[in-house]
Amino acid sequence: MRATGSWSVPPERLELRFTDKKPAFSKAEAFAEASRCLYCHDAPCTIACPTSIDIASFIHKIATGNYRGSARTILKSNLLGASCARVCPVEVLCEGACVYMDWGRKPIEIGRLQRFAMEQGRSVELLPRQEKKSESIGLVGGGPASLACAGTLALLGYETVIYEKSQLPGGLNVSGVAPYKIRAEDVLDEVKFIQSLGVQIQTGVELGRDFSGEELLAKHAAVFFAPGLGADSLRGVPGADGSSVVGAVDWIADMKLRSEAALEGVSSAVVVGGGNTALDAVQELASLGIPEVTLVYRRSEEKMPGYEHEWERAKEKRVRLLAERAVSEIHRDSSGKMRSISLLRTENGRSTAQEAGELPCQLIVVATGQERLASLAALFPKVQCDEKGRVVADPETMATGNPRVFTGGDCYNGGKEVVNAVDDGQRAARAIDRLLRGEN
Ligand code: SF4
């Protein structure tokens, strides 16, 4: 079903049981925090930001009560400043680089100040627009990379149309980010902001099903290809085809957008994987009151690719780790209901024949690295993927092997942060503009 209007989420959803990890500042709190900033020259926080937001400047504007000016400073560098304020891993980016860290003191809470500026000052009128141009650009996927790219192109005067296969735009921001960081309705607010810049969004339409790559290229002067990544699976494990085995992205989307039914009868849940998505999923399951939450990871604890601070938080929530293990079989009762799983020991990430016991389990969330969408990329002539299934592109321009097809976001970088997707999208928009003006 194709939809182009406004979007909403169900009023009853599990994500409403989560409280904000970093609640909004009041005006007095924002002023106090902004006044701590030293407004450093060549500020390391800005250098650490993938979109190079002038952090000292936007914080100074908060301290002087110029909230619209503060929001403008952020939006000039990052159109998705509102969601980045909430979902960025600031501990390893701007706040991690703050000079206060060098003195063993608490860094400036840049993420919360950015959220404050966005909530108090964001407005469409803040951004200058160029005169209308005749060309249109088609964007595949409605996630952060496409939203940032389309918004930038719309401000440059181009007609832009986003094609999103699911019923809600926003990509992983709306369905895949942990609810204690941001809720779906806040993401949809930001989508509406991007729409108000002149971006058209069609949902429920899919490349390869509703239109081909060539049709898209015939209709638009250029295409931005950013469909994200594919689904997780436990392919080949006996019993994995039945119910209660879900990919992490689907699980987080279910939990964010649906009500309690998804957890009925679950007293022991297993998350498979060791990356940040897996760490989000274990924390969510534990916070939702599942008594036993276990992370099963193929390698050692030290080799887990997820952020250490997220794993520390998971441990505080009594999440148990079974490292160097892999799920070898899923056992079900006669009605097909999951009751337990068998595990094997692993060595260097590969399963051995050595059994590692059985674990009661009624739900498995699989976060083993999402499948790449190489087959979709192949729908465009000369667009290629590397051996890991990531779309190959020039990192300066985001141009693929096809001079009219650009890319960015997870399908290009294999699954990084929202802020990296935004940076890719904005860089691609500027390169598309140069191409269409004959400068490339
Ligand atoms: Fe302010 Fe810290 Fe950035 Fe310096 S490094 S400008 S103190 S936020």
Side-chain angles (χ1 to χ4, degrees), residues 247-431:
V249 172
D250 290 340
W251 148 249
I252 294 172
D254 269 6
M255 182 262 311
K256 281 175 76 90
L257 304 174
R258 293 196 191 158
S259 66
E260 321 242 338
L263 294 177
E264 258 171 30
V266 179
S267 60
S268 171
V270 163
V271 175
V272 182
N276 287 317
T277 307
L279 297 184
D280 274 350
V282 285
Q283 290 187 65
E284 283 148 13
L285 287 161
S287 299
L288 286 167
I290 306 294
E292 295 281 332
V293 180
T294 308
L295 186 65
V296 173
Y297 180 52
R298 282 182 166 268
R299 297 178 187 272
S300 64
E301 182 171 354
E302 296 71 44
K303 292 211 166 131
M304 274 168 48
Y307 291 125
E308 206 178 316
H309 63 267
E310 293 290 359
W311 176 228
E312 286 306 318
R313 278 188 197 127
K315 285 196 279 193
E316 282 164 17
K317 291 180 175 142
R318 298 171 194 271
V319 172
R320 177 170 65 140
L321 172 67
L322 289 178
E324 301 182 308
R325 307 276 200 290
V327 179
S328 58
E329 189 168 355
I330 295 166
H331 307 286
R332 299 176 181 276
D333 64 19
S334 53
S335 67
K337 204 168 156 208
M338 185 186 301
R339 64 182 168 75
S340 65
I341 58 172
S342 289
L343 297 164
L344 288 179
R345 286 194 186 282
T346 60
E347 221 175 270
N348 295 324
R350 294 181 184 282
S351 297
T352 64
Q354 210 183 336
E355 290 179 9
E358 203 173 313
L359 190 72
C361 178
Q362 297 84 39
L363 173 70
I364 301 181
V365 178
V366 188
T368 49
Q370 297 144 317
E371 287 173 20
R372 310 301 191 260
L373 294 179
S375 55
L376 265 193
L379 294 176
F380 294 101
K382 297 188 188 159
V383 175
Q384 292 189 328
C385 291
D386 64 14
E387 68 287 350
K388 290 186 176 164
R390 297 172 300 199
V391 180
V392 177
D394 177 336
E396 296 296 317
T397 63
M398 309 310 293
T400 65
N402 184 321
R404 288 174 54 215
V405 180
F406 295 73
T407 191
D410 286 355
C411 76
Y412 161 75
N413 61 36
K416 283 193 179 175
E417 302 297 338
V418 170
V419 67
N420 301 105
V422 171
D423 183 40
D424 289 348
Q426 295 180 160
R427 212 152 1 102
R430 291 189 288 270

Side-chain angles (χ1 to χ4, degrees), residues 75 79 122 124 127 189-197:
L75 291 169
L79 281 180
R122 188 181 63 186
V124 182
L127 298 163
D189 254 6
E190 188 167 59
V191 171
K192 281 181 202 140
F193 169 71
I194 295 293
Q195 265 186 305
S196 67
L197 303 177

Side-chain angles (χ1 to χ4, degrees), residues 103-172:
W103 309 319
R105 292 178 60 191
K106 188 169 155 280
I108 303 295
E109 290 198 69
I110 300 166
R112 289 178 78 189
L113 286 171
Q114 184 167 317
R115 173 179 174 178
F116 177 83
M118 289 285 93
E119 289 178 355
Q120 297 291 325
R122 188 181 63 186
S123 146
V124 182
E125 292 82 50
L126 293 174
L127 298 163
R129 291 169 191 241
Q130 294 191 10
E131 62 184 36
K132 283 238 171 293
K133 298 186 172 68
S134 58
E135 297 97 338
S136 82
I137 292 93
L139 301 98
V140 178
S146 278
L147 289 168
C149 184
T152 306
L153 287 165
L155 290 169
L156 289 167
Y158 296 99
E159 182 183 301
T160 51
V161 186
I162 289 178
Y163 302 95
E164 164 59 45
K165 72 172 182 181
S166 70
Q167 296 301 329
L168 285 180
L172 288 186

Side-chain angles (χ1 to χ4, degrees), residues 36-40 43-46 55-56 59 97-100 108 110:
R36 281 208 309 132
C37 179
L38 304 171
Y39 313 124
C40 307
C45 52
T46 288
I55 292 169
I59 292 180
C98 177
V99 291
Y100 275 100
I108 303 295
I110 300 166

